[in-house]
Amino acid sequence: MKLFRIPVLCLFCLSFLLASCASNPKVVLIGEHKDHIVFIVSPEGNDEWSGVAIRPNRERNDGPFRTITRAQARIRELKAQGELNKPVSIYLREGVYFLESPIIFTPEDSGTPQYPITYAAYPGEEPILSGGRLLTQWEGTDTRRWTLVKDKENQPLPIHQLFVNGERRQRAKTPNEGFYTADGMFSADPEHAQFKYRENEIQKDWADRGNVEVFSIAKWAESRIPIQAVEEQSKTVTLAGKVHEWIREDNQRYWIENAEECLDQPGEWFQNFETGMLYYIPLPNERIQNKEVIVSVLPQLVLFQGTPEEDRYVRYIKLEGLTFSHTDWSLPKTGYPDMQAAYDIPATIAAVGAHHCTIQKCLLTRIGNYAIEFSQGCQENKIIGNVMTDLGAGGIRIGEPNRRTQTSLLTMKNTVSDNSISDIGKVYPAAVGVWIGQSGYNLVSHNEIFDTYYTAISVGWTWGYGLTNAQFNIIEYNHCYNLGRGLLSDMGGIYTLGSQNGTVIRNNIFHDIESHSYGGWGIYPDEGSSHIVIENNITYNTKSAGFHQHYGKQNIIRNNIFAYGKEKQVMRTRNEPHLSFTFERNIVIWNTGDLLGSNWQDNNYTFDNNLYWFEESKEFKFDQWTFDEWKQKGQDSHSLIADPFFRDPQNADFTLPADSPAHKIGFQPIDFSEVGPRMEQRRPMLSAS
């Protein structure tokens, strides 16, 4: 079954084309169809040909184009001739297109509302745009193989990712499982972090090599920094760069990566950056010379490059049904200290100044960075029905960290819907599924986000009550689960920052959230999160709590189900001289831990018309108060302690019967049948060929 659709008009054109090719191997489409222009790109093509047939003709002097850039140039030629007065489709035939540089769309490549330009997979085929390189010349034995990787100038080409028959292989590291722990805390030196190691975990000569990296984890972020010096007597390591002061902790976890001594088990590989020699230990019975081996080279594959400061935009271009793979990650000499969410890592498809562009039903997999980014000046674009999996960083980024005031520079009114985003953070664990920075009026709906090490959805990038562009974002009908996986802390199913007038979080499901230490929350309004409506959501199986507000103003939390937090159910961190939030018509059910956690002394919150049920006992406290004492504080005057009679809550069936006491508090049953993607998703292929 083919899992993507193309317009009926395109099907008509292609049907005509296929029928015509039976009798005429050279079929000219331009001028023969009143409503559409079609070009074909194929690995069997030639950029000297016309690009208007699906395969080479018998004489092999005409047929499809060989490259997308040639098709792109042909469209520009038609524009210059004044002949681009129809919608255009460029269809890519089956095969792998190893790109030597990113495809760049500028305002000159734009379509129009009447005549959009689409780059799509040929019906029934799966073309792959790859930023990688095939490795075919191997030497050595069955237990250790090697090959030389150099660039066009015959210089060693540093490699960071290797895939064998579509499977990511582990760069040499130690320990092979888990982490080492520092003896104490990393220093906060503004230029060169230091830490003390234990036993013989670090070798002195690793500093001389310059490319042996310390990968460390603390709180909500990671750092990856080369070793600069090792002092054996004091067991002190000096790194080539800093770590952020606020992302440190005692006995910080770390491992060592890219030292040849770490190459010690099947499936691992190592490259000597000075010589370019790459070494690999095959898996048992794996004959590497018979496998497709690809290393990542290019960091990005497609760039939309408008100049919004000049009011020049890339418009009405669609990418549909294509596969993007094998983008690389790199490391500055001073390393990479993440601040939060790996927000500054590039994306495989990146846009600045794009309007009305669409990425639809594409597959992004085996990449080293974020999948898609719409940054400065991007407005009214759509990211719909894509699959993103096996990602070095995260899924989608909308907006930027800087707040803009000039209208042309604003990022807003973009749609992210019906995507599947999974298995992220392979290189940067703190990356998130969908990140919205200084950007408003966006819709994030019907997505599935799972298998992350950190937050699924993050909205806002202003800490505290300062000005922000993250206003009127709608986050709805998303299914987010298996988050955190015990690696990072201070995270949630959805995370917000700043005062967000008009933002609504509704009809989402967040569950199975496991942090390393503190902060495995379902819904997490962090610093300054204010004026947000949170309604009709469900969270369950969270480590720390279903809901946690650090601090903020006048949020509304209503008609949600918070179930089975392990430690707490509802948390609030900071006392403030204003109303923190209103908590009404919610159902809270649990069987371990406490109802309320952290700080409730000031009474600047409003609880009412809620239903609470502790499955282990009818006796429980509202923080330090009994239910009667809590009511005397003016809280939960009309709330109930009663079993809601969910159909099967232990198995996540929260259906309410007609006689549930939840109806007495005004709780409205929530229909979750529409949560998650509404279209069938493409699945990644194992091999690129």
Side-chain angles (χ1 to χ4, degrees):
M1 179 181 295
K2 305 308 174 189
L3 304 183
F4 60 98
R5 302 182 182 92
I6 62 174
V8 173
L9 185 58
C10 297
L11 283 173
F12 172 79
C13 293
L14 284 167
S15 297
F16 178 87
L17 174 63
L18 291 170
S20 300
C21 281
S23 58
N24 183 3
K26 179 181 178 182
V27 180
V28 178
L29 297 179
I30 299 174
E32 291 193 8
H33 295 284
K34 296 180 180 179
D35 301 317
H36 216 68
I37 297 172
V38 175
F39 291 108
I40 305 295
V41 178
S42 169
E44 298 180 344
N46 188 314
D47 283 350
E48 299 299 320
W49 295 345
S50 66
V52 294
I54 63 172
R55 62 178 63 90
N57 63 8
R58 295 187 183 95
E59 295 79 14
R60 297 197 66 83
N61 58 14
D62 198 9
F65 292 137
R66 175 67 181 84
T67 65
I68 296 174
T69 52
R70 177 64 188 101
Q72 179 184 12
R74 181 63 182 129
I75 295 170
R76 288 187 176 187
E77 292 168 5
L78 291 176
K79 282 187 175 183
Q81 298 164 7
E83 298 178 9
L84 195 66
N85 55 1
K86 304 170 187 175
V88 180
S89 291
I90 298 92
Y91 288 103
L92 276 66
R93 299 298 308 270
E94 187 98 15
V96 184
Y97 298 80
F98 289 103
L99 303 183
E100 296 185 359
S101 60
I103 298 165
I104 299 176
F105 296 113
T106 69
E108 288 72 25
D109 299 302
S110 295
T112 67
Q114 297 83 8
Y115 311 129
I117 299 173
T118 300
Y119 294 79
Y122 187 84
E125 299 185 356
E126 296 194 3
I128 299 172
L129 279 67
S130 172
R133 177 190 294 184
L134 276 169
L135 299 184
T136 58
Q137 303 299 318
W138 291 91
E139 300 181 29
T141 67
D142 289 340
T143 58
R144 189 177 176 96
R145 308 288 293 181
W146 56 84
T147 189
L148 190 61
V149 186
K150 293 194 173 185
D151 61 18
K152 290 182 178 180
E153 284 72 40
N154 203 35
Q155 297 298 311
L157 180 64
I159 297 302
H160 302 92
Q161 295 181 131
L162 180 144
F163 301 89
V164 178
N165 270 26
E167 295 180 346
R168 184 185 292 261
R169 292 291 188 255
Q170 175 62 54
R171 199 178 186 214
K173 64 185 280 283
T174 187
N176 290 321
E177 301 292 336
F179 293 88
Y180 294 133
T181 56
D183 186 1
M185 186 178 289
F186 281 44
S187 74
D189 187 283
E191 294 186 0
H192 302 285
Q194 292 184 326
F195 70 94
K196 292 185 179 296
Y197 62 93
R198 306 171 192 268
E199 304 303 328
N200 298 311
E201 297 167 357
I202 307 288
Q203 296 186 22
K204 183 176 177 59
D205 66 342
W206 288 349
D208 299 329
R209 303 180 195 177
N211 296 306
V212 180
E213 302 162 10
V214 172
F215 175 86
S216 65
I217 288 283
K219 297 181 179 177
W220 60 84
E222 79 285 326
S223 65
R224 183 184 292 273
I225 307 175
I227 295 173
Q228 186 176 74
V230 178
E231 211 293 309
E232 289 183 311
Q233 185 172 356
S234 63
K235 294 185 177 178
T236 300
V237 176
T238 300
L239 301 179
K242 67 178 182 179
V243 297
H244 291 294
E245 181 178 357
W246 55 89
I247 305 175
R248 301 178 301 136
E249 59 190 18
D250 285 331
N251 303 318
Q252 190 158 323
R253 293 163 290 156
Y254 75 93
W255 69 55
I256 302 298
E257 197 166 305
N258 202 44
E260 187 169 5
E261 292 83 355
C262 302
L263 185 64
D264 59 1
Q265 69 173 8
E268 282 191 333
W269 64 274
F270 160 78
Q271 186 192 29
N272 185 318
F273 283 3
E274 292 186 358
T275 65
M277 193 65 72
L278 186 149
Y279 302 89
Y280 175 68
I281 300 179
L283 296 174
N285 301 317
E286 181 181 63
R287 297 180 63 83
I288 193 70
Q289 62 270 26
N290 297 330
K291 303 293 184 180
E292 176 194 77
V293 183
I294 295 179
V295 292
S296 298
V297 177
L298 289 182
Q300 296 178 292
L301 298 182
V302 177
L303 303 176
F304 295 79
Q305 290 186 347
T307 52
E309 65 277 8
E310 301 173 1
D311 283 322
R312 298 183 70 250
Y313 306 99
V314 183
R315 303 176 187 266
Y316 296 100
I317 292 178
K318 177 189 283 190
L319 307 178
E320 184 170 11
L322 305 173
T323 295
F324 301 88
S325 288
H326 310 127
T327 49
D328 198 21
W329 60 273
S330 61
L331 195 68
K333 291 183 178 179
T334 56
Y336 176 73
D338 185 19
M339 187 186 86
Q340 184 169 314
Y343 77 95
D344 50 354
I345 296 302
T348 293
I349 301 174
V352 172
H355 284 195
H356 302 283
C357 292
T358 300
I359 302 172
Q360 183 168 331
K361 295 184 179 178
C362 292
L363 170 63
L364 293 98
T365 184
R366 309 176 196 115
I367 64 179
N369 44 23
Y370 266 88
I372 300 171
E373 174 188 17
F374 279 87
S375 186
Q376 183 183 121
C378 289
Q379 300 179 12
E380 299 189 80
N381 302 288
K382 296 180 180 180
I383 305 172
I384 302 175
N386 305 281
V387 173
M388 304 165 215
T389 188
D390 192 357
L391 310 179
I396 298 168
R397 289 214 316 272
I398 302 293
E400 53 182 331
N402 301 317
R403 180 177 174 269
R404 307 289 179 176
T405 57
Q406 184 177 332
T407 301
S408 64
L409 301 182
L410 295 177
T411 303
M412 61 183 182
K413 298 182 180 180
N414 299 288
T415 297
V416 176
S417 70
D418 298 280
N419 302 285
S420 177
I421 304 170
S422 66
D423 198 16
I424 75 175
K426 296 284 193 176
V427 182
Y428 307 97
V432 303
V434 176
W435 181 90
I436 296 177
Q438 296 288 359
S439 179
Y441 298 89
N442 301 291
L443 173 64
V444 179
S445 67
H446 294 281
N447 301 286
E448 179 185 45
I449 304 172
F450 60 100
D451 292 351
T452 78
Y453 293 114
Y454 190 53
T455 294
I457 301 172
S458 179
V459 184
W461 207 244
T462 295
W463 281 256
Y465 298 116
L467 296 174
T468 176
N469 290 342
Q471 310 283 334
F472 293 92
N473 289 299
I474 305 298
I475 316 297
E476 63 182 9
Y477 296 100
N478 301 286
H479 186 194
C480 306
Y481 58 96
N482 198 25
L483 312 176
R485 293 187 283 182
L487 186 68
L488 290 165
S489 304
D490 203 342
M491 50 157 294
I494 184 165
Y495 172 93
T496 63
L497 281 169
S499 184
Q500 301 194 28
N501 292 313
T503 290
V504 179
I505 301 169
R506 63 191 177 203
N507 295 92
N508 304 283
I509 302 177
F510 306 104
H511 64 94
D512 292 286
I513 302 171
E514 187 73 18
S515 59
H516 173 68
S517 57
Y518 76 100
W521 295 300
I523 299 173
Y524 179 13
D526 198 11
E527 301 190 26
S529 294
S530 302
H531 308 294
I532 301 172
V533 175
I534 301 168
E535 62 184 357
N536 299 337
N537 304 282
I538 181 169
T539 75
Y540 62 93
N541 295 350
T542 57
K543 181 179 186 292
S544 300
F547 175 82
H548 167 245
Q549 179 168 308
H550 183 180
Y551 66 89
K553 294 180 182 180
Q554 300 175 4
N555 294 308
I556 297 174
I557 301 94
R558 68 186 175 209
N559 215 82
N560 303 281
I561 298 171
F562 299 107
Y564 304 124
K566 295 179 183 177
E567 298 170 350
K568 314 289 181 182
Q569 313 313 311
V570 179
M571 297 181 68
R572 170 183 181 266
T573 298
R574 183 179 294 184
N575 286 328
E576 292 189 279
H578 53 247
L579 180 66
S580 293
F581 55 78
T582 298
F583 193 90
E584 60 185 3
R585 299 202 322 266
N586 301 288
I587 300 175
V588 185
I589 181 172
W590 72 106
N591 54 24
T592 185
D594 301 320
L595 172 59
L596 302 181
S598 200
N599 200 332
W600 301 93
Q601 279 69 40
D602 64 4
N603 210 37
N604 287 333
Y605 42 81
T606 298
F607 282 69
D608 205 5
N609 292 301
N610 300 296
L611 186 150
Y612 304 98
W613 185 244
F614 183 34
E615 292 179 340
E616 299 302 312
S617 172
K618 293 182 180 180
E619 301 296 327
F620 57 88
K621 291 287 189 72
F622 290 72
D623 193 40
Q624 59 186 290
W625 302 282
T626 66
F627 190 29
D628 288 339
E629 292 169 339
W630 181 249
K631 287 183 176 181
Q632 290 171 14
K633 287 167 57 67
Q635 303 297 336
D636 276 319
S637 299
H638 304 93
S639 298
L640 300 175
I641 296 176
D643 188 342
F645 302 129
F646 288 127
R647 180 180 293 166
D648 188 3
Q650 294 291 342
N651 291 302
D653 185 346
F654 296 96
T655 304
L656 288 169
D659 60 347
S660 170
H663 301 301
K664 296 179 181 179
I665 62 167
F667 185 87
Q668 299 298 311
I670 308 168
D671 181 6
F672 288 106
S673 62
E674 294 297 315
V675 172
R678 294 165 293 185
M679 58 184 67
E680 193 172 6
Q681 302 290 328
R682 296 177 60 199
R683 293 291 97 186
M685 298 173 296
L686 180 63
S687 175
S689 60

